[in-house]
Amino acid sequence: MRHKYTIELLEEYQNVNFYSIHLEGEELTELEAFFEKFPIGSEYDEEIDVIISWIDKISERGALERYFRPEGKYGDGVGVIPIEVGNKIRLYCLRLSDKILVFGNGGVKDAARWEDSETLAPYVKLLIDTSRFISSRIKDGTIVLMDKEIIGNLIFTRDEKK
């Protein structure tokens, strides 16, 4: 199955720009879809508040490496918020630099490792693929990272095996 998606700018701050993956045919970006799963009053309010406070910190200081726990393969930039131990909620993202952060989706941790979770694995795999696509396009010049911006072809297609 082919999936087309784009990376869209969500918010601009002095030290960082926030982007999110937007799957073709979906109304919401992946970040918006993540927050839709946890409406105010859900059992996860406190954990969502922790994630929001991390996002606020990142918006003020930038997407510094120490704010993320690596989740993908070494060097691909895929990480998770929050880094606190004990939280059940995971929000996955792709840190391209201190000034560029691409949000994916996430959910409730339901396995010891994301690879073992039918819920979370697709989100992490999408970000790993996106990291690979962006790296390849940076090499061929069709994407350029300039300060806080991703400039170039931000439309991606990936084949998914069911």
Side-chain angles (χ1 to χ4, degrees), residues 52-148:
I52 290 169
S53 73
W54 275 104
I55 291 172
D56 288 345
K57 183 188 286 191
I58 293 163
S59 73
E60 290 168 19
R61 301 190 184 149
L64 307 179
E65 204 166 350
R66 67 178 174 268
Y67 295 153
F68 306 92
R69 191 172 67 235
E71 283 289 315
K73 295 172 180 62
Y74 179 77
D76 65 11
V78 177
V80 68
I81 303 171
I83 56 175
E84 279 97 354
V85 174
N87 268 40
K88 283 269 186 239
I89 304 292
R90 299 285 184 271
L91 173 58
Y92 296 98
C93 49
L94 176 58
R95 182 187 163 278
L96 296 178
S97 72
D98 288 350
K99 297 181 175 193
I100 300 173
L101 186 64
V102 179
F103 286 101
N105 205 323
V108 179
K109 182 179 184 209
D110 57 2
R113 304 171 332 138
W114 67 262
E115 294 94 334
D116 301 327
S117 167
E118 283 185 30
T119 315
L120 301 178
Y123 302 137
V124 179
K125 287 176 184 168
L126 177 60
L127 287 165
I128 290 170
D129 286 353
T130 303
S131 173
R132 211 179 58 240
F133 295 154
I134 289 172
S135 295
S136 147
R137 290 185 185 179
I138 287 171
K139 281 187 188 108
D140 73 17
T142 54
I143 286 182
V144 178
L145 303 183
M146 287 190 61
D147 193 38
K148 300 182 299 182

